[in-house]
Amino acid sequence: MTSAELALTVRLNTSAADARRGIARLHPEAVAALGLREWDAIGLVGARRTASVAGLAPAGSPTGTILLDDVTMSNAGLTENATVLVTATSVQGARTVAVRGSSLAENSIDGPTLRKALLGKVLTVGDAVSLLPRDLGPGTSTVGTSRDLSRTFGVSWTSELLTVAAVDPAGTVSVQPNTAVEWGSGVTPGADSPPSPAAPAPTPVAERPVRHTTTPGTPALDDLVGVAGQAAKLTEWLGLALDEPELLHRLGASTRLGVLVTGPAGVGKMTFVRAVVAGRPLVELDGPTVGATEASDRQGRVRAAVDAVADGGGILVVSDVDALLPETPEPVASLILDELRRAVASPGVAFVATAAHPESVDARLRDPHLCDRELAIPLPDGNTRRALLDSFVRHVPTDNLDLAAIASRAPGFVAADLAALCREAALRAASRSRTGSSEPVLTQQDLEGALSVIRPLSRSGTEELAVGSVTLDDVGDMHETKQALTEAVLWPLQHPDSFARLGVEPPRGVLLYGPPGCGKTYLVRALASSGHLSVHAVKGAELMDKWVGASEKAVRELFQRARDSAPSLVFLDEVDALAPRRGQSSDSGVSDRVVAALLTELDGVEPLRDVVVLGATNRPDLIDPALLRPGRLERLVFVPPPDADARAAILATAGKHVPLADDVDLDALARDLDGYSAADCSALLREAALAAMRRSIDAAAVTSADVDVARENVRPSLDAAQVEHLREYADRH
């Protein structure tokens, strides 16, 4: 996090699209000066300290201003034309949020709808917040929320303001899909403030299960994309258990039905379930909301839901069951499981649960008397993403969209991410239409621009390698190295049919080795950009942890994130620190266990599909030999130090935006830079530009004299002995 701060002048944001949605609009230069990206959180310090989400201001906005809506201005204690101090701020995902509102709101709106209305908003205790969904930027999938609020609360929901009473953890938080949002003060009454016996508190909305047969806005079964097989299975199971139980009885089989539906967050598990069970009586429980309550309340809510579904038959659905029944259970979990078993054992009742993290669910949920069946909703592949995009823009005015190209550039995107992508593109189209007074039309440029903003849920909360727009074609020289990487990394992901036709398994991994500063990381960025891959980068030492089992768990989670965002590239920088030779360390066996975990992920029982592992090191001789066997990091690619031609290409690329005087001959300079790495060559031109500025702050070009001055400060970094050692290693392998 950056420590930069800016003093900006407050202006009232009059845009209807931003009204009361908690978005602060800043000039792009101000966002860059704070070291942020669009849709990151910012702190606002006026008469009161609060937080907001940073968006880009419309073109033509003054650099020194910030556009705030009236609610955000009030939260910060500001008026128009006042000065506000803007800083970057750290935000945690909220586990629980308690809000207060009018009695009508508290008795009309349930927890799940309330969470959807606040999704993506940044909150601090004492803030006022509106029910208007943010609906802008990543992680704000709130399709249908406005309709649900209008149906349950009435037309006045748009003017309702809530007060944030409590948040957990303390501080500035953001509302996430698994946050429990509920009504109340957020403080459990103590002995000195008992509840009044004369006026018992009304039953919260979430405790009163609602039976319904259809969910407005739920897509029809035929509209589901990429899950036809899973839908057919669940439809068949429900038909046999609920419609033809006598057939199962005749065959001596039980009519119990419990199904666990798993899949990445945002993939559409609840949409899938609602579409399949449409037309049947349905009782829903929201796992995060119920799981955040006290133990006795938790059991009571589950019991009420089971009673509701057992009375007339139907289907009990628990969303995000891992929040209600976590892997490390509390004593009340046994009672909750007993209630769920009672539901499954009731005639004419089926139980369906969803989980984004099935490995974190209480193992007892998979008991044969509970969830004896499991359905997995996979991450959408390229064709499925294309079909999902088509369904999202089917009724939108468009202009020559190439949705296949957009889908290929969106690895790891789930249905919620693609919906956010289309909303962001629509916002851009609407802004262009408003300023140009033209008909609103969604264009390819709108979708491509949205791709630079929307970050998929599968990579939220993780650091990624900055890929940029550099491709392998922009990498100077290195023809053999680029060809080897293309064959080992891009071909398996882009032409899997060719490998299948020839009956061979594609390479699992590649090891890049060479002297420091010769462009190994640069090659990875170019490779990822050329193949439109999501990159999961980690330095070897970052996975090491002093706690037993923590390092191995970090390795497993790294590869699971890669599988969830396939096609992807796992980049292990300084891999010699992560996987040294076993038996030679003095760290209580941590390194040995990490090497074993890495080998298991690379060449274990569960195969890596559409995931390529790429390691980089300066010391390949220190890596455990087992890691370099076929089926693991089997392709060893030497990245040599640049020769004269390569240095000329590097200087030309680095100097593309540097105004060079006519007396600067890059080819002659490249021939005279023996011992300079690629990083040294780039640093030389940067230092030459600084020398020109020192000569004259108004200098218009870099001269050969500036280059000569730079060469006195930037010396060659390549070690001749190390380079020779690496060349000998390359010859042996």
Side-chain angles (χ1 to χ4, degrees):
M1 188 185 77
T2 179
S3 59
E5 56 183 37
L6 297 175
L8 302 177
T9 302
V10 176
R11 295 283 189 270
L12 179 64
N13 190 349
T14 58
S15 170
D18 290 350
R20 296 189 166 192
R21 284 177 165 84
I23 299 173
R25 297 283 181 181
L26 294 85
H27 192 279
E29 292 182 5
V31 174
L34 291 169
L36 302 174
R37 297 183 300 178
E38 189 177 15
W39 310 120
D40 282 348
I42 56 173
L44 303 174
V45 183
R48 181 178 174 276
R49 183 183 295 272
T50 186
S52 183
V53 176
L56 296 182
S61 299
T63 308
T65 62
I66 180 172
L67 300 177
L68 302 178
D69 59 51
D70 56 340
V71 174
T72 306
M73 288 172 61
S74 175
N75 287 337
L78 297 167
T79 58
E80 195 166 12
N81 298 320
T83 298
V84 61
L85 191 64
V86 183
T87 64
T89 187
S90 59
V91 175
Q92 302 182 73
R95 288 190 291 270
T96 60
V97 171
V99 294
R100 294 192 298 267
S102 66
S103 58
L104 177 61
E106 295 192 11
N107 287 304
S108 302
I109 305 172
D110 59 15
T113 303
L114 188 60
R115 179 177 65 242
K116 292 177 183 177
L118 302 183
L119 191 65
K121 294 188 178 182
V122 178
L123 309 176
T124 56
V125 174
D127 280 353
V129 60
S130 78
L131 287 170
L132 288 164
R134 197 182 106 186
D135 269 343
L136 300 172
T140 57
S141 179
T142 54
V143 178
T145 305
S146 299
R147 180 189 60 245
D148 294 342
L149 288 167
S150 296
R151 186 179 67 251
T152 59
F153 187 80
V155 67
S156 60
W157 72 271
T158 56
S159 58
E160 176 77 12
L161 287 181
L162 313 178
T163 301
V164 181
V167 297
D168 179 31
T172 303
V173 299
S174 65
V175 180
Q176 303 293 313
N178 61 349
T179 300
V181 183
E182 52 191 14
W183 298 107
S185 64
V187 179
T188 302
D192 55 344
S193 58
S196 170
T203 303
V205 176
E207 289 187 17
R208 301 194 295 270
V210 178
R211 292 176 59 90
H212 54 84
T213 55
T214 57
T215 301
T218 297
L221 201 56
D222 295 339
D223 294 332
L224 294 178
V225 176
V227 289
Q230 292 88 335
K233 280 187 179 181
L234 185 55
T235 302
E236 179 185 359
W237 294 343
L238 291 171
L240 287 172
L242 302 182
D243 302 334
E244 301 179 89
E246 68 283 352
L247 182 60
L248 293 174
H249 279 304
R250 193 177 310 151
L251 295 171
S254 170
T255 60
R256 290 191 300 266
L257 178 62
V259 183
L260 179 62
V261 180
T262 64
V267 79
K269 297 181 292 295
M270 282 302 296
T271 300
F272 163 79
V273 172
R274 291 186 183 117
V276 172
V277 305
R280 297 180 182 272
L282 183 68
V283 173
E284 293 187 26
L285 267 183
D286 184 64
T289 300
V290 179
T293 60
E294 293 294 329
S296 58
D297 293 340
R298 214 176 309 165
Q299 182 191 1
R301 295 190 186 192
V302 174
R303 183 189 302 115
V306 172
D307 290 341
V309 73
D311 286 345
I315 302 170
L316 172 63
V317 179
V318 179
S319 61
D320 294 315
V321 71
D322 45 324
L324 176 63
L325 294 168
E327 183 180 14
T328 305
E330 300 178 23
V332 73
S334 298
L335 302 176
I336 292 174
L337 288 166
D338 286 340
E339 294 292 344
L340 296 179
R341 289 190 189 95
R342 180 166 66 90
V344 174
S346 300
V349 173
F351 171 56
V352 180
T354 69
H357 305 285
E359 72 283 354
S360 301
V361 178
D362 191 326
R364 293 173 293 177
L365 185 68
R366 291 183 170 90
D367 185 280
H369 295 89
L370 261 177
C371 290
D372 58 341
R373 308 184 188 198
E374 190 165 331
L375 282 177
I377 306 297
L379 197 79
D381 58 15
N383 292 332
T384 304
R385 293 195 297 271
R386 163 72 176 78
L388 286 169
L389 285 170
D390 182 66
S391 67
F392 289 142
V393 302
R394 186 175 300 162
H395 304 294
V396 175
T398 59
D399 180 23
N400 297 325
L401 295 183
D402 185 359
L403 296 181
I406 299 298
S408 68
R409 294 179 56 187
F413 278 59
V414 294
D417 301 323
L418 295 173
L421 180 75
C422 292
R423 286 199 303 275
E424 177 68 21
L427 176 66
R428 293 168 182 261
S431 178
R432 184 180 61 255
S433 173
R434 185 179 62 179
T435 56
S437 300
S438 59
E439 289 295 322
V441 176
L442 194 67
T443 67
Q444 187 78 2
Q445 289 72 27
D446 296 325
L447 287 170
E448 290 175 350
L451 272 173
S452 64
V453 173
I454 302 300
R455 190 181 190 195
L457 287 171
S458 61
R459 302 201 294 274
S460 62
T462 63
E463 292 298 326
E464 294 185 59
L465 192 69
V467 174
S469 59
V470 176
T471 66
L472 286 177
D473 295 334
D474 299 318
V475 178
D477 199 55
M478 295 191 187
H479 301 296
E480 295 181 1
T481 303
K482 290 191 293 184
Q483 182 62 29
L485 289 175
T486 300
E487 294 175 4
V489 178
L490 297 185
W491 283 4
L493 300 178
Q494 296 176 343
H495 308 290
D497 52 332
S498 297
F499 285 89
R501 185 173 59 252
L502 296 175
V504 295
E505 287 287 332
R508 294 278 177 83
V510 181
L511 178 67
L512 281 178
Y513 65 98
C518 288
K520 295 186 290 297
T521 306
Y522 184 78
L523 273 171
V524 174
R525 290 195 183 100
L527 189 68
S529 181
S530 298
H532 303 304
L533 310 177
S534 60
V535 182
H536 300 266
V538 63
K539 292 184 178 179
E542 292 177 359
L543 293 179
M544 296 300 180
D545 196 292
K546 65 179 180 179
W547 303 109
V548 175
S551 298
E552 301 94 294
K553 182 180 179 182
V555 173
R556 291 195 301 271
E557 291 176 346
L558 170 66
F559 279 86
Q560 187 57 51
R561 290 197 302 268
R563 290 187 183 96
D564 288 345
S565 59
S568 61
L569 179 68
V570 176
F571 178 47
L572 305 175
D573 202 3
E574 307 295 346
V575 69
D576 53 291
L578 175 64
R581 290 176 179 268
R582 284 175 287 182
Q584 299 183 6
S585 62
S586 56
D587 55 4
S588 303
V590 174
S591 297
D592 292 355
R593 293 195 299 270
V594 169
V595 173
L598 189 58
L599 296 177
T600 302
E601 293 292 343
L602 281 169
D603 194 19
V605 175
E606 184 180 1
L608 280 178
R609 301 187 187 280
D610 295 332
V611 177
V612 176
V613 181
L614 199 155
T617 181
N618 307 324
R619 297 294 305 274
D621 52 311
L622 298 182
I623 298 175
D624 190 277
L627 194 63
L628 306 180
R629 291 175 185 166
R632 294 161 183 172
L633 299 185
E634 59 187 75
R635 293 294 300 272
L636 275 62
V637 179
F638 180 47
V639 182
D643 55 17
D645 293 337
R647 291 194 294 269
I650 293 166
L651 289 170
T653 301
K656 190 179 298 183
H657 303 293
V658 178
L660 299 174
D662 295 337
D663 60 349
V664 178
D665 186 347
L666 293 182
D667 292 332
L669 178 62
R671 290 192 294 271
D672 198 28
L673 293 179
D674 191 33
Y676 278 70
S677 67
D680 296 335
C681 293
S682 299
L684 181 66
L685 284 186
R686 287 198 302 272
E687 183 63 27
L690 290 174
M693 294 173 64
R694 285 192 291 267
R695 172 172 50 83
S696 172
I697 197 64
D698 298 321
V702 175
T703 66
S704 60
D706 298 325
V707 174
D708 293 338
V709 172
R711 290 191 62 180
E712 296 177 2
N713 297 324
V714 180
R715 311 301 301 171
S717 63
L718 292 178
D719 183 350
Q722 183 185 25
V723 172
E724 184 60 29
H725 174 73
L726 289 170
R727 288 191 186 278
E728 292 176 358
Y729 184 90
D731 292 339
R732 293 196 304 270
H733 295 79

